[in-house]
């Protein structure tokens, strides 16, 4: 029996995009949205869908009400029809072809999150397409196993673990007659960093992820319990809860919502039993600091705290973890335009009074990479930002009754993500013009970036 209507899959939907008439590309230069004239006056506005069928995928620009087609661009990963502009992460150039005729249009998203999701959808499709075109046969797999030459071992090696560091802190504390403090980051939720690619974790919700995560927490608890003379302070799950505030339109985040909440509640409850002081991660000023996000964020933190039984060792919230925002500034970075909470202290001051259910309004702020400002093209650019420097030293002298301490959470030389576009973990943010080139995989040591952080440190090292 013949199937008249081929099944199609919708990979992505943007409720509103803008289309622009763009000038011809100059020789040896990339496209810039700034060259398109008044971006507030587009040629057309409507809906964008990425649709996949058996023969491939296509971008369809449609009227949001009637569905009438405005333009269609086939997407072939071997000759991509979409290019990012040089001066923004929200604008792209799309090649449209019809009956042998070719034209280029500009496309813009109102929100950075929408452009990010668009990039992720194209990346996922590209990876699947390449896998279909180049499947490994049994012979190829065998040849890989039997290849000559020394085999490189990329597995994790036995080395120091949390217990190693706690034992060291315990010994030093006893020798000095004082209690040592160890700062840790709890960062292993299933389907971790649901709106990103570079920092995907080891656990999958579909593969017993929540149970594995609880076991991970139980192991931390067991090691902390063995060293009661060491004070442990934990940052709980960077980026997780913030994604539940702003990125539930991403399918992976929507699917992870209940697991994230259950995991964070379990972590609070169990770590509380061994006296671990906890700060839940609260994103940063450029993420949850926007007026529309403040109340939903406060409600989420407060609700989870209450559901966990109001654990006494939950101390508050951590902000700007692994980010680049200043604690305070008298000269707002241009990328913060439109947000009254343009630095971390303003964000904290706005968020604190909205917390309910007895959630403690205390904060720690990561300033490990915040020494240089005005270096990002967009506030959401996060990957190995070019020109960054180590920032304010860790201190409890914060100048604010709301802030317990300035901290360095993200290790300075730890890479955010690779620039290798063929890597399964490649994230488009790591290929932006304000990201440092020649970057290794996320989590690897990035010596050149570390040297830049040292060179640009403010205050200087």
């Amino acid at each position: 029996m013949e199937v008249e209507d081929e099944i199609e899959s919708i990979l992505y939907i943007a409720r509103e995009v803008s289309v622009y008439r763009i000038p011809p590309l100059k020789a040896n230069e990339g496209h810039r949205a700034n060259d398109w004239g008044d971006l507030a006056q587009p040629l057309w506005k409507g809906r964008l869908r990425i649709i996949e069928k058996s023969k491939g995928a296509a971008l369809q620009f449609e009227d949001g009400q009637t569905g009438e087609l405005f333009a269609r661009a086939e997407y072939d990963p071997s000759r991509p029809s979409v290019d990012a502009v040089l001066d923004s992460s929200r604008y792209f150039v799309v090649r449209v072809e019809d009956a042998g005729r070719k034209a280029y249009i500009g496309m813009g998203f109102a929100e950075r999150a929408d452009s990010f999701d668009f990039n992720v959808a194209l990346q996922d499709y590209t990876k699947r397409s390449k896998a279909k075109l180049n499947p490994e046969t049994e012979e190829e797999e065998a040849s890989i196993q039997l290849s000559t030459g020394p085999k490189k071992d990329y597995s994790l090696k036995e080395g120091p673990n949390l217990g190693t560091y706690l034992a060291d802190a315990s010994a030093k504390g006893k020798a000095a007659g004082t209690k040592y403090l160890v700062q840790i980051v709890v960062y292993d939720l299933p389907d971790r960093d649901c709106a990103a690619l570079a920092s995907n974790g080891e656990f999958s919700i579909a593969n017993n992820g929540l149970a594995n995560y609880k076991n991970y927490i139980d192991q931390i608890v067991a090691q902390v319990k063995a060293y009661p003379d060491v004070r442990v302070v934990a940052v709980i799950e960077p980026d997780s809860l913030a994604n539940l505030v702003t990125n539930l339109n991403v399918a992976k985040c929507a699917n992870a919502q209940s697991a994230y909440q259950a995991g964070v509640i379990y972590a609070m409850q169990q770590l509380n039993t061994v006296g671990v002081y906890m700060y839940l991660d609260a994103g940063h000023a450029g993420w949850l600091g926007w007026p529309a996000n403040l109340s939903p964020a406060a409600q989420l933190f407060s609700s989870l705290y209450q559901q966990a039984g109001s654990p006494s060792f939950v101390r508050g919230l951590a902000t700007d973890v692994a980010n680049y925002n200043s604690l305070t500034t008298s000269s707002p970075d241009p990328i913060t335009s439109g947000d009254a909470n343009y630095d971390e202290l303003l964000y904290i001051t706005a968020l604190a009074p909205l917390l309910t259910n007895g959630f403690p309004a205390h904060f720690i702020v990561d300033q490990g990479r915040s020494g240089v400002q005005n270096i990002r093209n967009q506030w959401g650019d996060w990957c190995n930002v070019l020109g960054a420097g180590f920032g304010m030293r860790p201190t409890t002298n914060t100048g604010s009754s709301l802030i317990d301490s300035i901290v360095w959470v993200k290790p300075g030389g730890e890479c955010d993500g690779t620039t290798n576009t063929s890597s399964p973990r490649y994230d488009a943010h790591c290929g932006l013009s304000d990201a440092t080139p020649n970057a290794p995989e996320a989590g690897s040591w990035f010596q050149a970036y570390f040297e830049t952080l040292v060179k640009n440190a403010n205050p200087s090292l």
Side-chain angles (χ1 to χ4, degrees):
M1 185 176 90
E2 293 185 2
V3 180
E4 295 181 356
D5 297 321
E6 184 183 356
I7 297 175
E8 64 180 31
S9 299
I10 299 175
L11 306 182
Y12 173 78
I13 298 179
R15 300 300 176 187
E16 183 178 275
V17 297
S18 298
V19 170
Y20 301 88
R21 183 179 287 111
I22 64 176
L25 183 64
K26 298 177 182 178
N28 301 319
E29 293 186 17
H31 290 280
R32 296 180 182 273
N34 194 48
D35 296 335
W36 299 352
D38 186 356
L39 296 176
Q41 299 294 325
L43 173 67
W44 177 88
K45 276 189 176 183
R47 180 178 67 196
L48 168 67
R49 294 194 300 162
I50 303 177
I51 296 176
E52 179 183 6
K53 294 185 179 181
S54 61
K55 293 182 180 180
L59 283 65
Q60 291 194 177
F61 298 86
E62 307 162 336
D63 185 281
Q65 300 296 323
T66 66
E68 181 182 0
L69 186 66
F70 171 77
R72 176 183 171 90
E74 301 291 338
Y75 187 80
D76 180 355
S78 66
R79 49 188 296 269
S81 55
V82 178
D83 287 316
V85 301
L86 299 178
D87 56 346
S88 174
S89 62
R90 293 192 293 116
Y91 294 89
F92 301 82
V93 173
V94 180
R95 184 181 69 249
V96 179
E97 298 185 44
D98 182 28
R101 295 178 298 175
K102 181 169 60 177
Y104 293 87
I105 58 175
M107 175 183 69
F109 295 92
E111 299 292 337
R112 181 196 65 84
D114 294 332
S115 65
F116 176 79
D117 297 341
F118 170 74
N119 264 318
V120 169
L122 291 182
Q123 290 175 19
D124 286 346
Y125 174 72
T126 297
K127 285 193 295 184
R128 288 189 291 105
S129 297
K130 289 181 178 179
K132 288 180 182 178
L133 291 173
N134 299 290
E136 286 185 351
T137 64
E138 292 183 4
E139 291 79 6
E140 288 172 332
E141 291 175 355
S143 67
I144 293 172
Q145 295 296 324
L146 299 174
S147 60
T148 60
K151 182 179 179 182
K152 294 182 179 180
D153 181 9
Y154 293 106
S155 62
L156 292 176
K157 312 300 189 298
E158 287 296 327
N161 56 28
L162 176 59
T164 307
Y165 296 112
L166 293 176
D168 182 61
S170 175
K172 289 178 176 177
K174 290 174 181 175
T178 186
K179 181 175 286 191
Y180 266 54
L181 183 152
V182 174
Q183 174 185 288
I184 66 173
V185 179
V186 176
Y187 185 47
D188 213 7
L189 278 171
D191 289 0
R192 187 180 74 186
D193 277 14
C194 57
L197 294 176
S199 45
N200 292 346
E202 60 179 334
F203 299 145
S204 166
I205 292 172
N207 190 25
N208 207 35
L210 184 56
N212 290 335
Y213 179 75
K214 290 182 177 180
N215 179 58
Y216 160 77
I217 295 297
D218 292 343
Q219 292 181 59
I220 295 175
V221 168
Q223 296 202 39
V224 172
K225 189 175 183 179
Y227 299 95
D229 57 331
V230 178
R231 174 170 292 179
V232 178
V233 178
V235 174
I236 305 297
E237 297 298 339
D239 296 347
S240 60
L241 299 182
N243 271 313
L244 299 189
V245 176
T246 65
N247 288 324
L248 289 180
N249 61 317
V250 177
K252 188 176 178 182
C253 292
N255 294 335
Q257 183 176 17
S258 60
Y260 277 19
Q261 293 179 348
V264 169
I265 288 172
Y266 186 82
M268 285 192 284
Q269 292 173 331
Q270 299 308 309
L271 293 171
N272 191 71
T273 65
V274 288
V276 174
Y277 289 87
M278 292 168 274
Y279 294 86
L280 305 188
D281 184 80
H284 59 86
W287 191 348
L288 300 185
W290 294 88
N293 297 333
L294 285 168
S295 290
Q299 290 168 13
L300 177 61
F301 300 138
S302 302
S303 174
L304 293 178
Y305 176 72
Q306 184 179 50
Q307 290 179 64
S310 304
S312 58
F313 283 94
V314 171
R315 174 66 181 175
L317 299 169
T319 79
D320 205 38
V321 171
N323 212 263
Y324 308 85
N325 298 337
S326 61
L327 176 65
T328 61
T329 181
S330 58
S331 178
D333 191 320
I335 61 172
T336 68
S337 177
D339 187 355
N341 301 314
Y342 49 77
D343 63 35
E344 291 304 300
L345 181 58
L346 289 170
Y347 166 43
I348 287 167
T349 303
L351 178 63
L354 301 178
L355 297 166
T356 60
N357 297 335
F359 193 102
H362 304 285
F363 297 80
I364 57 175
V365 184
D366 187 357
Q367 291 287 279
R369 302 194 294 184
S370 299
V372 184
Q373 296 299 303
N374 297 19
I375 56 175
R376 289 171 284 178
N377 295 334
Q378 299 287 331
W379 208 350
D381 294 353
W382 51 264
C383 190
N384 306 316
V385 171
L386 196 63
F390 285 120
M392 186 186 303
R393 306 284 200 282
T395 179
T396 56
N397 184 18
T398 67
S400 169
S401 60
L402 293 171
I403 302 176
D404 288 342
S405 180
I406 303 301
V407 294
W408 286 10
V409 178
K410 171 80 175 184
E414 184 181 88
C415 187
D416 292 320
T418 182
T419 51
N420 179 6
T421 57
S422 64
S423 169
R425 299 174 68 198
Y426 173 72
D427 191 294
H429 282 93
C430 300
L432 295 175
S433 60
D434 58 358
T436 302
N438 304 315
E441 288 287 350
S444 302
W445 183 257
F446 193 0
Q447 179 66 22
Y449 195 59
F450 175 76
E451 292 174 3
T452 297
L453 291 171
V454 172
K455 175 184 176 183
N456 296 336
N458 181 22
S460 61
L461 294 172

